[in-house]
Every structure is written in C-alpha cells, then in structure tokens.
Amino acid sequence: MEQTDETATVRLSPLMAWQLAAPHTWPAAILPVLVAAGCAVGMTGHLNVPMTWLLLAICILMQSSVNTFNDYFDYVKGTDTADDNVEASDSVLVYNNVNPKAALALAIGFLATAFLLGIYVIYCAGPVPLAIALVGAVIVVAYSGGKTPISYLPIGEAVSGIVMGGLIPLACYQVLTGELTALALVWAIPTIIGVGLIMMTNNTCDIEKDIEAARKTLPVLLGRPRARALYHGLLITWAVAIIVIVAVWFSRGIVVLPFMALAAYPLMRALWLNPLAPASRIGAMGQICSVNVALGAFYAAALFL
C-alpha cells in the first residue's frame, strides 16, 4: 500500500536535506571523476584543475539526486519502513513527519543544478558530455521511478555500476582531454565493479525485504549463498582489474599497488566475512564504502603517477 503525504507537517530542514543527499555514498561519484582525471594525466601529462572540480560538483549533485529520488519513491510505495535495519539518518522520510513532495522537489533541484553547471562544461567540451549526461539522467529517473523501476529488476546492480562507474569516467575523460575513447570504459572497470557492489551489498542484505516488496533483484533470484559467492568473485575481480590496468597502461603507478594491498586487505577481509544478512546491513554498507574509498583512492593515485 502506498504512503501519502496527507499528514506530513514537518518542513524539510537543511539537516534532513543533507541526510537525503547521503554523503556517505558520494565516493561512488567522486572516485570515477578522480579515475578519469588520473587517466587524463597519465595520457596527456597535464590536468585542467578547475574543470575537474566542476565535474566533481556535478557528479556529487547527480549522486545526491539519485539518493533522494530513491528514498522518495521507496517511501511513497511503502517499501521503506521503521522495521528495516537502517539508521534514522538513512531514512529521513520514515523517521520524520516530513512532506515527501519536499524530498521530490529536492531531488529535482539537485538534478537541475547539475545540468545548469553542466552548461559550461558543454560549452567547453561540446555535445558529447551532454549526450552521455542525458542517458545518465534518464536512467537516474528510471532507476527509482516508473511502473517497474530498474531497482526492482535483476539488472539494477549492473546498471548502477555502468552509469556511475562507467559513463562518468567516459564523459569526464572526454571533457578533460577532448578525446572520446572506449579505453576509458576499460580503465573504468574497477569503478564499475565498485559502484555495482555498493548496490549488490544493499540488495543482498535486503533479500527478505525485497521479496515482500515484489522486487526481483539479482540477489533475490540467486539466493543469499549464490549471491555471496558471486559477490566474492567480484571482489577478487575488482582487485585484479586494478593490477592489470595499472601494469598494462600506467606502469609507473605499480609502486602504489603494495600500499593499496596493505590498506585494502583488512577492509576486504572484513567484508568477505560479512554474512550480508539484514542484521549486518549497516556494517556491510560501511564496509563496502570503505573498500571503495581504499581501492579507488590508491587506483587514482597509481594513475596520476
């Protein structure tokens, strides 16, 4: 049964807006830009720093929009409830008597601001980033909205990974270098996997909840044992992809890899041992974000070298 905003009386405060933006998920937007910037430096030897900052701002706004849209649609459809294993700050509409239309307006505002900033990027780089951004924007809305949202389908993890982890580096690399190349997608494989695993972590922990909500996510179809097996395989592939890409295209960055291993191993081991069950959801989400930061930051550093 869908929820409505008829009894909502609390105004959306700046703190609630910040919580809806979900800054703890921003590595999914920041790291792809850093990877694109690192690739640009590695290939051209220089970096447009002001443009990189602008791209970071745009991507953070788009990530915030995705987060807010997702919370809004999950709330009005009754998918999110206080019985779920989530922190109060992670479910603003559930734990606060706030008008959900205010959250919808905030999501649209984030997206609109990103496009306004993008006008300058398009002016400098041409129509290519606009075309990529339009594809991303359509998917952002389709991911949470519509009669059958992408987040309800077994392609949600792949779509989120490709859009945030793949299309962002592709567009940013084109903006920073003026070159549109499929190699940018190859170099983005680690970020595609990393972002996709954020969604897979959430969905594997929420299998029971998603079954009740008639969501057919990939973990729902696989079941938790097989979902965890695939998850572990992707963790290994993630690390191996970084090593191979750095060795083949950015060999000067190899010196960073041992430090990456030392920093990431304890985080990845803890995530590996996590049962990815409802009760461990909060911990698992923190762990996958930490692994994204560790692997992503060291990968970007290797590219910059």
Side-chain angles (χ1 to χ4, degrees):
M1 182 176 180
E2 295 188 357
Q3 301 185 43
T4 66
D5 61 339
E6 293 178 0
T7 61
T9 58
V10 178
R11 294 183 62 183
L12 185 67
S13 68
L15 176 59
M16 293 177 190
W18 176 260
Q19 292 171 342
L20 283 168
H24 62 280
T25 69
W26 288 356
I30 295 172
L31 293 173
V33 178
L34 292 182
V35 166
C39 291
V41 171
M43 292 293 108
T44 67
H46 66 272
L47 178 66
N48 186 333
V49 176
M51 182 61 76
T52 302
W53 279 109
L54 182 59
L55 292 171
L56 279 169
I58 292 171
C59 292
I60 288 173
L61 284 165
M62 291 190 68
Q63 177 67 43
S64 299
S65 177
V66 171
N67 295 335
T68 309
F69 270 124
N70 201 41
D71 282 1
Y72 168 78
F73 285 113
D74 279 351
Y75 178 77
V76 298
K77 291 177 180 178
T79 304
D80 282 348
T81 69
D83 295 329
D84 300 324
N85 290 281
V86 294
E87 296 176 338
S89 62
D90 221 13
S91 294
V92 174
L93 299 180
V94 172
Y95 291 97
N96 298 275
N97 194 29
V98 66
N99 191 332
K101 289 183 180 179
L104 178 60
L106 179 67
I108 295 172
F110 283 142
L111 196 58
T113 304
F115 270 91
L116 287 175
L117 293 176
I119 292 174
Y120 177 73
V121 175
I122 295 165
Y123 172 77
C124 295
V128 172
L130 173 61
I132 297 173
L134 287 175
V135 172
V138 170
I139 295 175
V140 163
V141 176
Y143 188 84
S144 300
K147 187 175 181 180
T148 306
I150 293 174
S151 62
Y152 279 60
L153 302 175
I155 60 172
E157 294 84 358
V159 169
S160 62
I162 291 171
V163 171
M164 298 297 296
L167 293 187
I168 287 178
L170 178 66
C172 291
Y173 184 81
Q174 191 277 334
V175 170
L176 294 172
T177 66
E179 179 184 2
L180 181 65
T181 173
L183 271 178
L185 287 175
V186 175
W187 301 330
I189 287 174
T191 51
I192 292 173
I193 296 173
V195 173
L197 282 179
I198 293 176
M199 184 53 59
M200 191 171 182
T201 302
N202 182 75
N203 287 347
T204 305
C205 293
D206 284 350
I207 286 177
E208 292 79 10
K209 168 188 168 183
D210 287 342
I211 290 174
E212 292 180 6
R215 274 182 165 174
K216 296 181 180 179
T217 65
L218 183 60
V220 166
L221 295 183
L222 293 176
R224 184 165 283 111
R226 285 189 293 179
R228 287 190 71 220
L230 175 60
Y231 192 93
H232 292 161
L234 288 171
L235 283 175
I236 295 172
T237 304
W238 189 3
V240 171
I242 291 175
I243 295 170
V244 171
I245 292 170
V246 171
V248 173
W249 285 286
F250 306 93
S251 57
R252 290 184 180 179
I254 288 178
V255 295
V256 173
L257 299 184
F259 299 99
M260 181 187 77
L262 290 172
Y265 174 75
L267 300 173
M268 294 186 73
R269 185 175 185 276
L271 183 59
W272 186 285
L273 297 175
N274 193 301
L276 301 181
S280 63
R281 179 185 181 279
I282 294 175
M285 291 305 293
Q287 289 167 344
I288 185 60
C289 288
S290 295
V291 173
N292 262 279
V293 170
L295 290 183
F298 279 101
Y299 179 42
L303 299 177
F304 273 103
L305 285 181

